């Protein structure tokens, strides 16, 4: 027995997730830069350059698993793999 399942996110949902993650990444970068500046007693820092790696397509997948102790007529478990969004944001600061 063989199954092939496919799942897709709407473009709007994907963009929303990417925007939320990018916003959080930039806030984290700013927070860490301020911490470093305060620790090193640097009074003024500014963003010098921001770059974003080229986006990779998102391919969610699913696996079908059937436990050996499950009865033949019972439904198999469907376990989805984690959805991954791989992007890198580089923020360079100057002082």
């Amino acid at each position: 027995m063989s199954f092939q399942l496919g799942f897709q996110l709407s473009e709007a949902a994907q963009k929303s997730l990417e925007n939320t993650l990018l916003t959080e990444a930039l806030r984290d970068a700013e927070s860490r830069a301020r911490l470093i500046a305060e620790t090193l007693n640097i009074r003024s820092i500014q963003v010098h350059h921001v770059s974003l790696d080229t986006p990779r397509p998102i391919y969610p997948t699913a696996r079908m698993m059937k436990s050996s102790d499950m009865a033949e007529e019972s439904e198999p478990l469907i376990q989805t793999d984690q959805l991954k969004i791989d992007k890198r944001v580089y923020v360079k600061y100057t002082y």
Side-chain angles (χ1 to χ4, degrees):
M1 183 178 350
S2 165
F3 296 96
Q4 183 174 3
L5 301 173
F7 300 94
Q8 293 182 342
L9 280 177
S10 71
E11 226 175 285
Q14 181 179 341
K15 292 290 181 194
S16 176
L17 281 172
E18 288 176 2
N19 288 341
T20 301
L21 292 172
L22 180 58
T23 300
E24 291 302 315
L26 291 170
R27 284 183 182 152
D28 183 55
E30 180 182 21
S31 170
R32 290 174 186 240
R34 288 183 192 276
L35 176 63
I36 292 168
E38 288 173 11
T39 303
L40 297 175
N41 201 23
I42 298 171
R43 294 185 182 161
S44 174
I45 63 169
Q46 292 179 283
V47 174
H48 174 69
H49 181 74
V50 178
S51 61
L52 180 67
D53 274 354
T54 56
R56 298 179 189 165
I58 299 173
Y59 297 110
T61 58
R63 290 188 311 245
M64 302 249 347
M65 297 179 64
K66 188 169 183 177
S67 176
S68 59
D69 52 300
M70 293 175 71
E72 281 296 319
E73 59 274 350
S74 62
E75 304 250 342
L77 287 174
I78 297 177
Q79 295 181 340
T80 58
D81 290 339
Q82 279 188 320
L83 175 65
K84 293 183 181 182
I85 299 175
D86 292 326
K87 291 190 179 186
R88 291 186 182 185
V89 179
Y90 299 95
V91 182
K92 294 181 183 179
Y93 290 88
T94 186
Y95 58 94

